[in-house]
Amino acid sequence: MNRVVESRLRRRHRRERTFRGLCVASVLVAALFLLVILGSLFRQGASAFTQTRISLPVPAMLPAGDLPDSGAMDYDAAVLDALAALLAIDPDRAERRELRQLVSIDAAFVLRDYVESSPGRVVSDASVRVPASAKVDMAIKGEFDRTAASDRRPLSDLQIDWIDRLVELGAIERTFNTALFTNGDSREPELAGIRAALMGSVLMLLITLAVAFPIGVAAAVYLEEFAPRRAWIRLLELSINNLAAVPSIVFGLLGLVVLIDWLGMPRSAPLVGGLVLALLTLPVIVISSRSAIRAVPTSIREASLGLGASRMQVVSHHVLPQAMPAIVTGTIIGLSRAFGETAPLLMIGMVAFIVDVPSGVTDPATALPVQIYLWADSPERAFAERTSAAILVLLGFLLSMNLLAAAIRRKVEK
Amino acid sequence: MYNDTRFLLLFVALVAFAPRAGLAQSGRDYVYIVGSSTVYPFATVVAERFGRASSFRTPKVESTGSGGGFRLFCDGIGVDYPDISNSSRAIKASELSACAQNGVTEVIEVKIGYDGIVFANALSAPDVALTRRDIYLALARDVPGDVPGELIANPYQRWSEVRPGLPDQRIEVLGPPPTSGTRDEFVELAMADGCRQFDWVRELAAAEPDRHRRICQTLRDDGAFVQTGENDNLIVQKLEANPRAFGIFGFSFLDQNFDKVKAATIDGVLPTFDAIADGRYPISRPLYFYIKKAHVGMIPGLERFLVELTHERTLGEEGYLVDRGLIPLPAAERESGEAAVSALEVLPLAGK
């Protein structure tokens, strides 16, 4: 008898160990995937956080003595003159063309801003740092093989020679890529930034939150606390559960037909994007809020009714505060999903090249995931690292959203 | 529960009778461009330069695809509708008449240059010389059999079976999905032409155009042609990893990735700048901008944008779009286009 029990016990323990082993293995596999994704993003994207700049001596660019009127200056030519002076060369027309490819088109604007902000004379040893072109940036970062045949690489022998000389002179430096965070989109990789897209995403999320949270929670309260058990209510509940699984592009179509065509709202506006994403997140918020409300013990409701509270007071004083941590969690999950959506935005015109940072909800805007999609599709090689960098920023944003959720939850729970 | 129902009815009524068009844009101070994802990289560069150099705001460029662009463009006149639609093919007569029905009767056409479609493999793979006939035989779903009029399911598994002399390796071609304009052009220019080499199929063109189209323009679906997403960078990456595969993509991606992939010659011609520009390379297509004449003068900056678009520094042989992989027009054609645009010459309504 004893032996039978022992052998069963051993079998049970063995099974338990296998089960635990499988669980641990699953966690490890998931962690491995995460590491691989993050690792490849960091490997590709880390270099995008620095940008190569060339510092040019100001005197070589500007005539001695009093500066001419800013509007009359040819800043493009001045930048090339300074480069030529720095390299001690006297370029002909073809060489000037090659020289031009070393600096960003922004260089002339940097110089103009410098001249306009320092009226009158310039200091004799002043220099300005202008962004290098994406090709030079790639060369400095070692993104292509410099020893390849000259028609198999983006820079000519002459250009590589010049870059080497600039490095020797100490005129080339890699600094933090502020443009990535302060600029809007650009087709020049060295000037492209995510600020406009991030702003568009934030504006949209604010609208989504403002619309979906109150409506979602109110709907959940009604369905859980007040709704009669009627057939049409059941149907409603069923439809809400169904809506949570509808592909997001369908909401985009709805936005196009109802909000843009019918109500005449502008295309590419965060207002429309926010409303569409609100529709997308509503079912998630309703479902999670309902289960949060259902999890509040009936005894609490009965006790408060017994003490003479009205139905309204029961809900607002007891049920909602108890359910709030779980409701907040559900809302953040819904918003995180909305933050990463691109498909519905395609239909309402937000997959677009927009340079200016939106200042209101009806200004044309795009969103961070859309920006990533557009960059990933760009022919210029330098956009590859910027795509990864933008994904890292997106992940960071999601992480901070979730941390915020955790903080709010802890605060509400107390 | 009576109260709830009444409240619900009230809400439905409110939504149903909400004031329409209450939020329409009252004005727009930027140029609005829609259209092809092939032209998008060029249109955005012009838009950005224009925004930097002029006092006007940077135009908004939406990537909708050529057909989707014309649908928006032809919807009407006014600030809610695009000013410009770009396209990787000429506007169709049906689209032009759809435009006219909505009041868009005057449309200006500008050809900006050409784009070549290349058939490329990894740098480490052997050089390959193909004909359009080879491409057709390697990629069509059904190919003509030995007897005229007979169609057989494509039997070729290796390039060397298509034509002796081609490498002895499995046919494996990566290309864009059916929604892509690149694919449409590839099928029309490379496949259809290879298909015309068979006499009986060529004769079908007049008698049974639909059948002819089906025979000539259907890609095989047995795994030899692999559809990738509409992302040419992805194709370049996959070619690098797999030297046996070929990829189909736009010339500007070849131009940016000369250190990773190389193009096959088509009918003996390598896709180079010059060969595409003078028309020797067979698989190339013109790119267009279409402008609403009624919007010129109505939208601030549109007129200046057209000047920037057709200027020599933009489209000329040393223009900045050429640095981005656009194949420039012959100088005379660009100049006549510039003149036509500044005179605001519109397309004849009958279409082309």
Side-chain angles (χ1 to χ4, degrees):
Chain A
M1 197 55 199
N2 210 2
R3 206 172 300 149
V4 175
V5 169
E6 263 180 17
S7 84
R8 274 193 190 155
L9 203 60
R10 262 206 307 278
R11 216 163 53 215
R12 238 173 70 188
H13 284 168
R14 201 167 53 234
R15 277 195 189 145
E16 237 159 59
R17 274 198 305 276
T18 334
F19 184 67
R20 270 184 62 171
L22 280 176
C23 293
V24 170
S26 311
V27 171
L28 285 181
V29 167
L32 187 74
F33 280 133
L34 190 67
L35 266 181
V36 168
I37 292 173
L38 282 180
S40 76
L41 281 175
F42 269 110
R43 203 166 46 85
Q44 280 199 37
S47 53
F49 291 103
T50 60
Q51 160 70 34
T52 307
R53 276 172 237 270
I54 304 177
S55 47
L56 297 174
V58 171
M61 291 188 266
L62 304 171
D66 288 334
L67 287 174
D69 176 42
S70 170
M73 286 270 308
D74 183 352
Y75 291 105
D76 269 312
V79 168
L80 291 191
D81 289 343
L83 259 181
L86 199 60
L87 290 164
I89 51 170
D90 183 20
D92 60 21
R93 197 160 161 266
E95 282 174 347
R96 274 183 91 84
R97 203 174 137 72
E98 288 199 37
L99 203 56
R100 190 184 295 275
Q101 292 178 356
L102 295 189
V103 286
S104 165
I105 61 159
D106 195 41
F109 296 92
V110 173
L111 181 61
R112 188 193 65 190
D113 291 347
Y114 175 82
V115 169
E116 284 176 358
S117 65
S118 54
R121 292 159 169 282
V122 282
V123 198
S124 61
D125 58 348
S127 66
V128 283
R129 276 201 308 219
V130 300
S133 71
K135 284 177 178 177
V136 173
D137 193 37
M138 292 288 98
I140 295 292
K141 289 173 180 169
E143 288 286 320
F144 59 85
D145 182 11
R146 305 170 35 139
T147 56
S150 60
D151 59 342
R152 294 269 171 228
R153 55 177 143 81
L155 292 166
S156 69
D157 293 333
L158 195 58
Q159 286 170 329
I160 287 190
D161 199 41
W162 286 336
I163 294 172
D164 288 342
R165 225 178 311 159
L166 286 175
V167 172
E168 272 170 40
L169 288 167
I172 282 189
E173 49 197 334
R174 273 174 78 175
T175 53
F176 182 69
N177 187 2
T178 45
L180 189 63
F181 298 96
T182 57
N183 283 9
D185 194 9
S186 168
R187 288 306 318 291
E188 315 293 330
E190 71 274 12
L191 303 179
I194 55 169
R195 181 156 161 230
L198 195 61
M199 194 63 198
S201 278
V202 169
L203 285 173
M204 275 199 303
L205 278 192
L206 286 179
I207 289 185
T208 305
L209 184 66
V211 172
F213 184 71
I215 295 183
V217 175
V221 167
Y222 178 74
L223 288 175
E224 280 303 314
E225 299 288 324
F226 300 107
R229 297 278 112 195
R230 295 242 187 92
W232 69 271
I233 294 277
R234 297 259 175 76
L235 199 68
L236 198 68
E237 290 174 358
L238 192 72
S239 323
I240 291 175
N241 292 345
N242 226 358
L243 269 183
V246 166
S248 55
I249 189 124
V250 175
F251 291 99
L253 276 170
L254 188 80
L256 175 68
V257 173
V258 175
L259 298 176
I260 293 178
D261 289 350
W262 197 56
L263 290 176
M265 291 185 185
R267 269 178 84 84
S268 320
L271 175 66
V272 179
L275 289 176
V276 166
L277 294 181
L279 289 175
L280 189 89
T281 22
L282 252 180
V284 180
I285 296 183
V286 172
I287 291 169
S288 62
S289 303
R290 284 189 65 189
S291 60
I293 291 171
R294 214 176 304 141
V296 176
T298 324
S299 55
I300 289 183
R301 293 188 185 84
E302 282 164 356
S304 109
L305 281 173
L307 287 172
S310 69
R311 296 279 295 273
M312 181 70 209
Q313 283 170 328
V314 172
V315 169
S316 58
H317 293 179
H318 301 283
V319 177
L320 269 186
Q322 292 256 344
M324 203 37 93
I327 292 178
V328 168
T329 311
T331 306
I332 296 277
I333 290 173
L335 286 183
S336 305
R337 186 189 157 193
F339 185 70
E341 278 293 345
T342 51
L345 304 183
L346 185 75
M347 307 305 301
I348 56 170
M350 294 189 83
V351 178
F353 178 71
I354 289 155
V355 173
D356 300 323
V357 178
S359 54
V361 290
T362 52
D363 277 356
T366 180
L368 194 50
V370 172
Q371 186 76 85
I372 290 169
Y373 165 77
L374 287 173
W375 282 359
D377 212 14
S378 297
E380 291 81 12
R381 186 86 69 78
F383 273 118
E385 58 170 31
R386 280 163 178 82
T387 307
S388 297
I391 295 172
L392 286 175
V393 172
L394 181 111
L395 287 179
F397 205 80
L398 283 175
L399 187 70
S400 47
M401 260 170 83
N402 284 320
L403 286 178
L404 186 74
I408 292 177
R409 204 160 50 222
R410 193 162 306 157
K411 192 141 191 233
V412 175
E413 264 170 358
K414 270 179 191 165
Chain B
M1 292 309 118
Y2 171 67
N3 275 337
D4 290 349
T5 322
R6 208 170 49 179
F7 182 75
L8 198 85
L9 281 176
L10 186 73
F11 180 73
V12 169
L14 258 176
V15 171
F17 297 106
R20 288 178 57 173
L23 280 155
Q25 289 159 291
S26 50
R28 173 155 61 80
D29 58 352
Y30 54 88
V31 176
Y32 173 19
I33 305 171
V34 293
S36 161
S37 55
T38 309
V39 189
Y40 175 88
F42 304 125
T44 45
V45 170
V46 183
E48 186 178 353
R49 299 263 178 151
F50 171 74
R52 274 176 168 270
S54 75
S55 56
F56 298 102
R57 283 181 68 184
T58 306
K60 172 175 102 175
V61 188
E62 234 182 87
S63 171
T64 58
S66 298
F70 284 130
R71 251 196 315 280
L72 288 167
F73 180 77
C74 290
D75 248 5
I77 295 221
V79 289
D80 289 338
Y81 306 101
D83 312 315
I84 297 177
S85 180
N86 55 48
S87 168
S88 53
R89 57 170 169 79
I91 191 167
K92 293 177 188 162
S94 59
E95 287 164 337
L96 215 50
S97 65
C99 263
Q101 271 172 15
N102 291 321
V104 187
T105 48
E106 294 178 306
V107 178
I108 306 164
E109 181 186 80
V110 196
K111 199 198 258 188
I112 60 160
Y114 298 92
D115 180 40
I117 297 172
V118 302
F119 203 83
N121 57 0
L123 210 54
S124 58
D127 291 337
V128 177
L130 293 171
T131 64
R132 277 175 284 181
R133 188 173 187 271
D134 298 336
I135 293 179
Y136 170 67
L137 288 179
L139 291 181
R141 192 178 62 194
D142 300 306
V143 295
D146 297 330
V147 194
E150 181 198 25
L151 267 186
I152 48 172
N154 195 330
Y156 304 114
Q157 294 302 323
R158 310 184 78 78
W159 285 103
S160 51
E161 294 166 8
V162 171
R163 180 162 60 86
L166 290 177
D168 181 24
Q169 61 187 38
R170 226 165 62 79
I171 297 174
E172 199 178 343
V173 179
L174 312 173
T179 48
S180 148
T182 308
R183 167 141 158 194
D184 292 348
E185 292 292 324
F186 176 79
V187 162
E188 248 167 59
L189 293 167
M191 302 265 297
D193 196 88
C195 165
R196 251 174 249 130
Q197 317 244 331
F198 296 88
D199 294 334
W200 68 270
V201 183
R202 191 173 55 234
E203 281 153 19
L204 271 184
E208 292 176 74
D210 283 347
R211 178 145 180 258
H212 175 261
R213 218 182 123 78
R214 211 166 44 244
I215 297 175
C216 291
Q217 308 198 0
T218 311
L219 287 168
R220 64 198 290 182
D221 45 17
D222 58 355
F225 176 79
V226 185
Q227 253 178 51
T228 56
E230 205 160 332
N231 185 331
D232 292 357
N233 280 324
L234 198 68
I235 298 184
V236 172
Q237 271 178 32
K238 286 186 173 168
L239 292 184
E240 223 189 344
N242 178 3
R244 288 185 315 279
F246 286 88
I248 298 167
F249 46 86
F251 178 77
S252 45
F253 285 85
L254 177 71
D255 191 42
Q256 286 285 328
N257 291 290
F258 268 128
D259 57 335
K260 291 183 174 171
V261 289
K262 60 169 185 257
T265 64
I266 307 288
D267 296 337
V269 186
L270 203 63
T272 57
F273 248 85
D274 298 332
I276 299 173
D278 62 21
R280 272 180 300 137
Y281 183 73
I283 323 178
S284 77
R285 55 178 160 175
L287 305 176
Y288 298 93
F289 272 64
Y290 291 91
I291 302 111
K292 250 178 227 169
K293 188 178 174 183
H295 282 197
V296 178
M298 183 171 97
I299 302 294
L302 181 56
E303 209 166 351
R304 283 290 307 281
F305 181 77
L306 294 182
V307 172
E308 174 73 25
L309 175 68
T310 51
H311 200 277
E312 194 183 353
R313 67 168 171 266
T314 312
L315 296 182
E317 275 165 30
E318 294 196 348
Y320 56 76
L321 285 188
V322 174
D323 289 339
R324 301 307 184 102
L326 180 77
I327 313 292
L329 298 168
E333 199 179 344
R334 188 197 62 75
E335 277 159 27
S336 67
E338 189 174 0
V341 169
S342 61
L344 301 178
E345 277 174 30
V346 298
L347 281 179
L349 243 189
K352 310 198 287 183

